[in-house]
Amino acid sequence: MSENLRTYTTETVDDESQTESATEDEELRCPECGGQLATDTEHGETVCVDCGLVVEEDEIDRGPEWRAFDSKEKDNKSRVGAPTTNMMHDKGLSTNIGWQDKDAYGKSLSSRQREKMQRLRTWNERFRTRDSKERNLKQALGEIDRMASALGLPDNVRETASVIYRRALDEDLLPGRSIEGVSTASLYAAARQAGTPRSLDEIAGVSRVEKDEIARTYRYVVRELKLEIQPADPESYVPRFASDLGLSDEAERRARSLLDTAKEQGIHSGKSPVGLAAAAVYAASLLVNEKVTQSEVSEVANISEVTIRNRYHELLEAEDSVALN
């Protein structure tokens, strides 16, 4: 009896599978002529290849609404959420609850719903920073973002500064130093590494700590983390100064030429790169008849007019000595 039951069951399963395959085959055939069906994704239709009958129309396109022309572009446009980033303490993997008390249709929430959303925001904030290390990181990365915005630094510098601070935190360099001091030093180091340096005075102007503490913490962080940072090149400041002063490309090229001459003569050694760059921009503006005042350059470069005058004379003397030779 058991053998008969097994045989019956097997036959039943076979019949069912045959029925399903037959049904699928019917679905793939034209109901009029029995021809093969094809899907027209451009028009959202299923049509018969033989007789042209439109079997189905207004189909839902479940693909992306964008086009990609290579694999890299396709990966960049994939809908898998925002990329992870070191600029957020949780690397951007947590949920953010919007502060607008409105629903998906833009309608205002009721008072009861607003209270509920506020409680959810509070608990969400508590869950995002579970321990003191995460609270420390959140505060520091917020400081880095604020200072970078004030200084007009790009995202790659913020990302690098965030990585430097994370390394300092992991290697236990913070005891005895303020969060603001280490975060400022990290941003200063990242800006110099990226080739978009800002002077120590500019950094101190947007920081909540004193200039001496920034310099001291910077030296400590660079030494302990063994960061490779090249000496600041005066030429890296020239484009920003020239842009802020509204000078032409010719003036910028002339300033670079003056700095190249100064390097050849060796007068740049031991001098502040910011002072040299500011003096070169001032001298170049006079040489190409786009006059700017020393006070204007001083304000843009955040250095004294005395420094500009001293470096200005040194640059012109170097230029004259090369011309005579």
Side-chain angles (χ1 to χ4, degrees), residues 10 28 37 69 74 102 118 148 180 231 237 251 254-255 262 289:
T10 305
L28 297 173
L37 299 179
F69 300 99
K74 184 177 180 181
K102 294 182 179 180
Q118 187 57 43
E180 290 83 1
Y237 294 94
R254 196 73 179 85
N289 295 319

Side-chain angles (χ1 to χ4, degrees), residues 44-71:
E45 297 174 343
T46 301
V47 298
C48 176
V49 176
D50 297 331
C51 68
L53 175 70
V54 178
V55 179
E56 219 175 311
E57 60 181 345
D58 296 332
E59 294 176 357
I60 297 174
D61 183 6
R62 302 186 186 279
E65 77 280 9
W66 41 261
R67 294 188 301 169
F69 300 99
D70 53 46
S71 58

Side-chain angles (χ1 to χ4, degrees), residues 65-83:
E65 77 280 9
W66 41 261
R67 294 188 301 169
F69 300 99
D70 53 46
S71 58
K72 184 178 180 181
E73 189 176 359
K74 184 177 180 181
D75 291 339
N76 288 338
K77 291 183 176 181
S78 62
R79 295 292 188 270
V80 291

Side-chain angles (χ1 to χ4, degrees), residues 84-88 141 144-145 148-149 151-166 186-198:
T84 56
T85 172
N86 284 299
M87 292 187 287
M88 298 179 69
L141 298 183
I144 289 173
D145 187 59
S149 297
L151 293 168
L153 292 170
D155 284 344
N156 67 309
V157 174
R158 304 182 195 196
E159 189 89 22
T160 304
S162 303
V163 172
I164 293 173
Y165 188 89
R166 285 176 185 272
S186 300
L187 184 63
Y188 182 47
R192 292 189 60 174
Q193 275 189 334
T196 55
R198 296 293 185 269

Side-chain angles (χ1 to χ4, degrees), residues 178 180-182 184 203-205 207-214:
S178 66
E180 290 83 1
V182 178
T184 306
I203 295 285
S207 177
R208 292 192 171 100
V209 293
E210 297 297 324
K211 179 180 174 180
D212 292 341
E213 183 182 344
I214 297 171

Side-chain angles (χ1 to χ4, degrees), residues 173-315:
L173 302 184
L174 265 72
R177 290 166 183 81
S178 66
I179 294 173
E180 290 83 1
V182 178
S183 59
T184 306
S186 300
L187 184 63
Y188 182 47
R192 292 189 60 174
Q193 275 189 334
T196 55
R198 296 293 185 269
S199 68
L200 200 56
D201 290 319
E202 289 178 292
I203 295 285
V206 298
S207 177
R208 292 192 171 100
V209 293
E210 297 297 324
K211 179 180 174 180
D212 292 341
E213 183 182 344
I214 297 171
R216 188 168 56 250
T217 308
Y218 166 75
R219 288 193 294 268
Y220 174 72
V221 169
V222 169
R223 184 177 67 251
E224 293 298 319
L225 297 181
K226 296 180 174 60
L227 300 177
E228 294 183 4
I229 299 177
Q230 299 296 325
D233 187 353
E235 285 191 32
S236 60
Y237 294 94
V238 170
R240 183 161 57 90
F241 292 167
S243 175
D244 291 344
L245 291 166
L247 297 176
S248 65
D249 292 341
E250 184 185 359
E252 186 177 331
R253 286 195 299 271
R254 196 73 179 85
R256 290 178 184 275
S257 175
L258 287 170
L259 290 174
D260 288 338
T261 304
K263 290 176 186 176
E264 291 172 6
Q265 296 294 311
I267 67 169
H268 71 292
S269 181
K271 306 289 195 308
S272 166
V274 181
L276 277 172
V281 169
Y282 174 66
S285 69
L286 298 180
L287 291 171
V288 299
N289 295 319
E290 297 180 27
K291 295 182 181 179
V292 293
T293 64
Q294 290 182 5
S295 61
E296 289 174 331
V297 179
S298 172
E299 185 177 352
V300 166
N302 199 22
I303 59 171
S304 68
E305 294 181 32
V306 176
T307 302
I308 294 175
R309 280 195 293 273
N310 293 338
R311 299 291 91 81
Y312 162 74
H313 291 302
E314 291 172 0
L315 288 172

